[in-house]
Amino acid sequence: MGLGNACAVMVGNRIGAGKKDEAYETVRRIIILGVSAAWVVGIVVVLMRDVVTNLYDLSPSGVHNVRMLMLMMACTLWIRMLNFCTFIGAPRAGGDTRFALIMEICSIWLIGVPVAYVSVCAAFPLFIMCLMVALEELAKAWSAPGASGHESGSTTW
């Protein structure tokens, strides 16, 4: 989230200075940096699963659940980072807070909450529930400005 906010500040400064091309380049670079860092952190999390579970006196099922939750988090971290930079860093800095708000509300209430409800009713394991709720992040990433060849309509860039 901090990287997304930093992106917003840097992009906002460039937009304010009338440097539109530099603003786009800043977003691109921060997304590359953020997603790359998220992959590195995800790999470290996967490699540290045994170390973390050995710190606690857990049952075998507890160890399994922690390991799977850490794996799920590691595998979805990059897409969360992409969304932080894309929805916090770019459109909000450009003045398009409406698009980010609509995407957040829609992804949470139309995807995240219903999927969580179905997952609980179906009694899926916790890590499967979390992975299914992460579908909202995939939907946001797919609909992000520029992700599928379109730009947000009301941006002031």
Side-chain angles (χ1 to χ4, degrees):
M1 292 178 89
L3 190 59
N5 287 321
C7 180
V9 170
M10 294 183 344
V11 169
N13 285 338
R14 283 164 181 79
I15 292 171
K19 299 177 180 177
K20 181 180 175 182
D21 292 336
E22 283 185 31
Y24 281 114
E25 183 62 21
T26 299
V27 172
R28 189 184 72 78
R29 287 180 179 174
I30 290 177
I31 288 173
I32 290 169
L33 174 70
V35 171
S36 299
W39 274 105
V40 170
V41 169
I43 290 168
V44 169
V45 167
V46 168
L47 296 174
M48 297 298 290
R49 292 184 307 164
D50 288 330
V51 172
V52 171
T53 55
N54 289 335
L55 291 173
Y56 303 97
D57 184 25
L58 299 171
S59 66
S61 66
V63 169
H64 175 72
N65 285 334
V66 170
R67 288 178 51 80
M68 294 306 290
L69 282 168
M70 289 178 74
L71 178 64
M72 186 279 313
M73 190 273 297
C75 291
T76 60
L77 186 61
W78 70 272
I79 198 150
R80 292 181 195 276
M81 178 59 71
L82 174 69
N83 287 340
F84 284 144
C85 293
T86 305
F87 286 98
I88 294 171
R92 290 183 187 174
D96 194 0
T97 56
R98 188 172 142 245
F99 177 76
L101 173 69
I102 290 170
M103 285 309 303
E104 289 292 329
I105 289 172
C106 289
S107 68
I108 290 170
W109 289 103
L110 298 178
I111 299 170
V113 172
V115 167
Y117 180 76
V118 169
S119 299
V120 168
C121 290
F124 290 140
L126 181 60
F127 61 91
I128 297 292
M129 289 181 203
C130 291
L131 191 59
M132 290 182 68
V133 170
L135 291 173
E136 85 175 72
E137 294 289 341
L138 283 173
K140 270 194 297 194
W142 181 76
S143 65
S148 58
H150 69 279
E151 294 294 327
S152 173
S154 62
T155 190
T156 59
W157 292 27

